[in-house]
Amino acid sequence: MNNRQLFLNHLAQTTDFPLLIEIEKAEGVYMYGPDGESYLDLISGIGVSNIGHRHPKVIQAIKEQLDKYLHLMVYGEYVQSPQTQLAKALCDTLPESLDNVYLVNSGSEAVEGALKLAKRFTNRREIISCVDAYHGSSQGALSVGGNEVFKRAYRPLLPGIKNVVYGSFHQLNEITEQTAAVIVETIQGEAGIKVACREYFQALRKKCNETGTLLILDEIQAGFGRTGKFWAFEHFGIEPDILVCAKGMGGGMPIGAFIANKDVMGAFKNNPLLGHITTFGGHPVSAVASLATIQVIQEEGLMEQVEEKANLFKQLLIHPKIKGIRNKGLMMAVEFESFDVLKPIIDRAITNGVITDWFLFCDDAMRIAPPLVITAEEIKRACQIILDAIGD
């Protein structure tokens, strides 16, 4: 049997209609099939490959670590240089109030840890999240998700969850002294790139301060330079109590983290002992890949290029069928009339060598989130293929 048949027969499926694109190699912004066909990756594996596929500095860091050691012990017991150096580098990108890093394997796990930490530190049980939020698909992360279609088959989920409308000033009144945490995507991703105003985030921060509520910002998609700043919350003049990250963090390797101050994170150390545990969190190979990713973003000036590249997409993607473009940096949604209009365009673009898709909770918009290393010429090529697909 060929690989496609093995995929269908033996790998658990997530839909009845997988893309079934077979990839043999990836480099930079391109992926290549077994017959040499190339695909320009405009979605970065859904926000993962911020510095492109197989960046040389990431590959070199991985190779060097392979010659030292792999897994040694469950997280938090041994002093491992890849973990300590990564934690220091992450804290160096953040305000002084965020100085303690808990490394995990994925975004969903980071959300789970952040929710547990908020409940343990505050001794409260209510969590507030947003309509059309996406924080992952494990039970706790799903519980604070904001789309009932994805949740109803798995109820009962966590109790004490309230959903409010992202960006709504009035609904900030739902935050009270009973609320352990508010968890918010700084930029709503699967809702189709929705960006609340600076004043909203200022008011949210103020309300959390007044009620003793922890503010958890989910930057699983928005972090690591994607919006033109290392962290998206930097656009809004606030600081979270707990920051969640993953996806673009690992340069293509699986890793996530939740970050708080040392006092808050200390709630996990007692009553009970080992209040949060992970076996593989902060795996040394993933950790060195993440450290190299941070260095590449900073040393190659990738954040400084984001706005110019986003503007080029907006200048080129003009067509009567395009109703508008929403974005924060290279986190973009190109709006069409409906899914029925959009889906054939996506399919034709893929056939012609450009990978894009839609959003979980916004199926009339095309996702564009390319590797930050994409060049102007590659943007022009990608946009022309999209426009040709619209025309076809």
Side-chain angles (χ1 to χ4, degrees):
M1 287 190 288
N2 61 30
N3 279 332
R4 181 170 296 199
Q5 290 168 317
L6 292 171
F7 174 96
L8 292 170
N9 288 350
H10 299 297
L11 273 180
Q13 304 294 295
T14 57
T15 71
D16 288 324
F17 41 89
L19 287 172
L20 286 175
I21 299 169
E22 188 172 350
I23 301 300
E24 196 165 83
K25 184 180 178 183
E27 197 89 36
V29 300
Y30 287 96
M31 299 182 290
Y32 301 93
D35 297 320
E37 62 272 39
S38 67
Y39 301 94
L40 201 163
D41 184 3
L42 270 196
I43 55 176
S44 303
I46 312 298
V48 170
S49 303
N50 282 17
I51 61 170
H53 296 278
R54 299 184 68 251
H55 192 286
K57 291 184 179 178
V58 171
I59 298 302
Q60 184 60 35
I62 290 171
K63 287 179 177 178
E64 290 176 4
Q65 184 59 39
L66 293 179
D67 287 334
K68 296 176 181 177
Y69 56 82
L70 301 180
H71 175 77
L72 300 177
M73 178 59 165
V74 297
Y75 176 80
E77 296 296 331
Y78 292 174
V79 178
Q80 300 180 49
S81 175
Q83 296 177 349
T84 58
Q85 294 301 311
L86 172 58
K88 174 63 165 59
L90 284 167
C91 291
D92 286 347
T93 70
L94 290 162
E96 291 183 4
S97 59
L98 295 165
D99 62 1
N100 219 239
V101 179
Y102 197 117
L103 296 171
V104 291
N105 303 290
S106 68
S108 290
E109 288 184 47
V111 168
E112 296 286 347
L115 295 176
K116 283 178 63 179
L117 181 61
K119 291 165 77 171
R120 178 67 188 86
F121 181 77
T122 63
N123 287 315
R124 303 175 184 178
R125 296 295 173 261
E126 180 182 88
I127 305 286
I128 292 177
S129 61
C130 291
V131 174
D132 281 346
Y134 182 77
H135 298 290
S137 60
S138 54
Q139 295 240 9
L142 186 62
S143 298
V144 293
N147 189 286
E148 184 60 27
V149 172
F150 275 71
K151 295 164 72 168
R152 67 169 61 104
Y154 303 102
R155 290 194 178 279
L157 295 167
L158 286 182
I161 308 297
K162 284 185 185 177
N163 283 153
V164 299
V165 175
Y166 174 82
S168 168
F169 286 85
H170 173 71
Q171 290 200 305
L172 294 178
N173 292 323
E174 296 291 329
I175 305 169
T176 71
E177 285 78 8
Q178 305 304 311
T179 310
V182 179
I183 181 167
V184 180
E185 293 168 277
T186 314
I187 312 295
Q188 277 203 313
E190 297 310 317
I193 315 304
K194 292 183 179 177
V195 187
C197 64
R198 182 184 179 93
E199 291 74 19
Y200 169 77
F201 280 105
Q202 298 277 334
L204 171 62
R205 178 69 273 180
K206 182 172 183 287
K207 187 68 172 178
C208 287
N209 290 345
E210 291 170 351
T211 58
T213 300
L214 297 186
L215 176 58
I216 303 171
L217 290 183
D218 178 341
E219 299 218 356
I220 291 168
Q221 287 195 48
F224 285 78
R226 180 142 300 279
T227 67
K229 293 186 180 293
F230 201 93
W231 304 105
F233 70 79
E234 296 177 63
H235 293 284
F236 304 106
I238 63 163
E239 298 175 11
D241 297 298
I242 305 175
L243 178 66
V244 176
C245 56
K247 285 192 180 289
M249 178 180 180
M253 292 294 288
I255 191 168
F258 56 103
I259 306 169
N261 71 46
K262 197 167 186 177
D263 289 339
V264 173
M265 200 72 82
F268 276 151
K269 294 192 293 185
N270 299 290
N271 299 319
L273 190 73
L274 299 172
H276 195 67
I277 308 172
T278 171
T279 296
F280 292 113
H283 190 282
V285 176
S286 292
V288 297
S290 182
L291 180 58
T293 297
I294 295 171
Q295 293 167 346
V296 168
I297 292 170
Q298 294 172 335
E299 293 169 4
E300 296 187 8
L302 297 183
M303 288 180 286
E304 290 76 13
Q305 305 167 28
V306 164
E307 200 60 35
E308 181 181 352
K309 291 174 180 179
N311 287 336
L312 183 56
F313 273 108
K314 291 193 283 187
Q315 291 164 18
L316 295 173
L317 288 176
I318 297 174
H319 190 280
K321 289 187 178 180
I322 294 176
K323 304 302 180 184
I325 298 178
R326 297 184 297 274
N327 80 295
K328 195 69 174 177
L330 284 171
M331 200 173 176
M332 312 184 78
V334 182
E335 187 179 358
F336 291 82
E337 183 178 336
S338 67
F339 180 74
D340 290 338
V341 172
L342 173 61
K343 182 59 165 64
I345 295 168
I346 289 173
D347 292 343
R348 180 57 64 93
I350 291 173
T351 298
N352 292 342
V354 166
I355 303 286
T356 181
D357 71 346
W358 62 94
F359 300 89
L360 284 179
F361 312 141
C362 181
D363 65 6
D364 63 356
M366 176 186 289
R367 184 195 306 264
I368 293 181
L372 307 185
V373 296
I374 193 170
T375 66
E377 287 306 310
E378 288 162 344
I379 292 172
K380 291 174 185 176
R381 178 174 180 266
C383 289
Q384 188 58 57
I385 288 174
I386 291 171
L387 292 172
D388 290 345
I390 296 172
D392 291 344

